[in-house]
Amino acid sequence: MAALCIGAVSFTVAAAPASAFGKSQDKTSETSGPSQDAIAESLSAVPSVKGPIAETANSYMFSTMDQAKEPFDVKDHGYVEKEYFLSGTANVYSNESGAVEVATEDVPYTNRILVRRPANPQDASGVVLVDILNASNGYDVEDHWRRVWQHAMAEGHTYIGITSKPLNVDALKNFDAERYADLSWNTDQDTADQRIVADPDNPATFDPFMVVEGAEEGLAWDIITQVGTLLQSDQSRRVLGGQDAETVLLMGQSQSGIYLNTWTSNFHDLAREANGGNVFDGYLNSVGAVLERPLAQDTDGVGGLQLVPGSEPELDTPFITVTSEGDTSLFGTGILAENEDLAENRRHWQVPGTPHTDVNSPVTPANEEVYRSGRLPRLMDQEFIDALNPYPLEPAIIAATESLVDWVQDGEPAAPSQWFDMNDDGILVRDEHGNVTGGVRYGLLDYPLATFNGASAPGSVFGSYSLISREEFDETYGSREAYLELIEESNSRQIEAGYLTKSGAAQMVRVANDLLDRIGA
């Protein structure tokens, strides 16, 4: 087994059982009986809804945009921000036999979702983006909100984030014990709810992948499913403010992308059978590679997040995976090599030059909010921020989101898969400028102002870059205006090809201008 580092934490990748990760239809049990009845009942259940939870000066939701790194009021964009608690029962599952089976039945849970939607339902697009909130920092991180927030509000999309792990519930209770008192993923009330608080003076003692004793990570699969069944039910308008959920996409980034892979491989078909139709209309995995995790949490004492090699099974629903160059350092190139047998309704867009994450996003919780949750923020000085790779992955993620919407609503398939170039040894091929060849290429690589590395070191999530000189710029491009014309031409080509939207193109122009300023053009 191999350990993969994400910042200061590690993933451990173990071999999968030979029969456990084939096509999704192979996940269904060949037998019927009480276990299968319990699966169908739980996958079709609609949770009860409490909320919206009241907001006061002394009690407000964790990760409200009012308390973001760069605070803003969603009302200024015609939006509202609400929090709800969902309650029901969830099973713990196993797939060790090659089929999904119930290991523990009907565990009571209460979980939270956050909702950002147009205040006026007539302004809503009908597109609902359901994001499995990332737990890799030990608290809820809204990765896809961070990637698409401006675009989503401009389009009128609704965003729903699902708390996805007991450790994140613990962080919420640290943040506001009274507000979040009802939340529970507990299987043992006597040992659960022991507060876990990171020590700022000794950060190495906190493991954001630790298992919470007395709770169960494996409740996630039914909790995720039941958010989908809620959105298909009569109660959906309560959460959505009177709008109808016309197109519901399930999304996950990094660790949550791995959760998404696991859910689709194991539960997509089962949930469709239990509900007489698909619970989610499409799927987007950002920087989660082709990996899955065990259905129940680690019990063997091995540290880190336990992962198993996954696959890209054929589904009856569109699925796009977006991979950054930084993912190859994080997960290895072998697991991201070109898949010539990829199903017709799946796409894999690999984007060279891009880092795994944007740690400088303005819409993440302010440091004070993170400390209040018993966790540790990433402390960055200006020198660190200036050294971050600025090549944005967001335009590809936005384009993938809109491509899924078009695919679901109009039957228009997304643009073809694009893969990094690799040699026979699995090493990424680089051009004369040091940039990776192949993949989805934007103007910043076709007309490079820098060498962009997706990872500054093995396992790094930040990336690095090295600018060309002012002299080289003048010799190659002549003027700022001439260069920006090249970027606009590239943007037009990629919009036409389906790998870029107008909002993504605007971001590319902003990044180009920033780099030109740094060069002194």
Side-chain angles (χ1 to χ4, degrees), residues 79-418:
Y79 265 61
V80 295
E81 185 178 58
K82 303 289 185 181
E83 185 175 51
Y84 299 84
F85 295 164
L86 307 185
S87 298
T89 61
N91 298 329
V92 182
Y93 296 102
S94 169
N95 58 5
E96 292 300 314
S97 68
V100 174
E101 298 174 337
V102 176
T104 305
E105 189 174 341
D106 291 342
V107 178
Y109 76 85
T110 298
N111 197 47
R112 82 129 180 182
I113 60 171
L114 60 86
V115 180
R116 298 190 181 103
R117 58 171 175 78
N120 186 343
Q122 294 180 340
D123 295 332
S125 67
V127 173
V128 181
L129 310 178
V130 180
D131 196 12
I132 304 169
L133 297 179
N134 194 306
S136 293
N137 293 302
Y139 61 89
D140 284 343
V141 176
E142 303 141 65
D143 275 323
H144 279 104
W145 177 255
R146 181 172 64 183
R147 300 289 200 181
V148 307
W149 62 286
Q150 292 166 304
H151 174 82
M153 288 193 291
E155 294 293 319
H157 297 342
T158 292
Y159 176 89
I160 296 178
I162 310 173
T163 296
S164 62
K165 214 171 186 180
L167 190 61
N168 289 24
V169 171
D170 175 82
L172 292 171
K173 293 192 173 191
N174 286 333
F175 182 77
D176 190 330
E178 182 176 355
R179 182 181 184 87
Y180 295 115
D182 292 343
L183 300 190
S184 173
W185 288 41
N186 298 343
T187 54
D188 183 349
Q189 298 293 339
D190 293 332
T191 57
D193 284 342
Q194 304 295 317
R195 296 281 69 78
I196 299 170
V197 179
D199 181 359
D201 295 326
N202 195 4
T205 60
F206 177 72
D207 176 6
F209 290 138
M210 68 176 61
V211 169
V212 178
E213 187 178 358
E216 173 55 62
E217 297 172 4
L219 302 183
W221 320 118
D222 279 353
I223 288 174
I224 291 168
T225 309
Q226 290 174 22
V227 172
T229 60
L230 171 66
L231 295 175
Q232 303 288 343
S233 75
D234 293 338
Q235 293 191 64
S236 66
R237 293 172 69 85
R238 175 179 174 185
V239 171
L240 298 176
Q243 67 166 300
D244 292 319
E246 298 175 7
T247 301
V248 182
L249 305 181
L250 183 62
M251 317 168 85
Q253 175 173 296
S254 193
Q255 181 181 174
S256 292
I258 292 163
Y259 274 53
L260 176 67
N261 292 341
T262 307
W263 190 92
T264 54
S265 287
N266 289 277
F267 297 101
H268 170 86
D269 287 343
L270 290 171
R272 184 190 67 240
E273 294 166 6
N275 290 281
N278 286 325
V279 175
F280 301 105
D281 299 309
Y283 304 107
L284 174 60
N285 173 355
S286 299
V287 300
V290 187
L291 287 167
E292 299 178 18
R293 61 151 293 165
L295 297 186
Q297 68 191 26
D298 168 46
T299 57
D300 62 8
V302 177
L305 174 65
Q306 299 299 297
L307 301 179
V308 291
S311 63
E312 295 177 284
E314 182 175 359
L315 307 174
D316 61 353
T317 302
F319 191 129
I320 299 178
T321 297
V322 177
T323 289
S324 74
E325 181 188 319
D327 302 345
T328 62
S329 172
L330 203 59
F331 304 123
T333 56
I335 203 166
L336 293 168
E338 180 175 355
N339 181 356
E340 297 179 353
D341 298 321
L342 199 65
E344 291 185 1
N345 61 349
R346 296 192 75 126
R347 298 289 187 272
H348 198 142
W349 295 355
Q350 298 185 340
V351 188
T354 55
H356 179 78
T357 190
D358 173 15
V359 296
N360 198 35
S361 169
V363 296
T364 53
N367 289 352
E368 295 77 13
E369 302 292 282
V370 177
Y371 282 125
R372 184 176 160 188
S373 73
R375 304 295 182 257
L376 304 177
R378 189 182 303 280
L379 301 178
M380 302 180 292
D381 59 23
Q382 194 59 47
E383 182 180 3
F384 177 86
I385 292 172
D386 290 342
L388 294 172
N389 181 345
Y391 197 119
L393 187 64
E394 285 78 9
I397 293 175
I398 292 170
T401 301
E402 294 308 314
S403 294
L404 281 169
V405 172
D406 292 341
W407 203 343
V408 170
Q409 294 183 350
D410 304 324
E412 181 181 342
S417 298
Q418 298 287 344

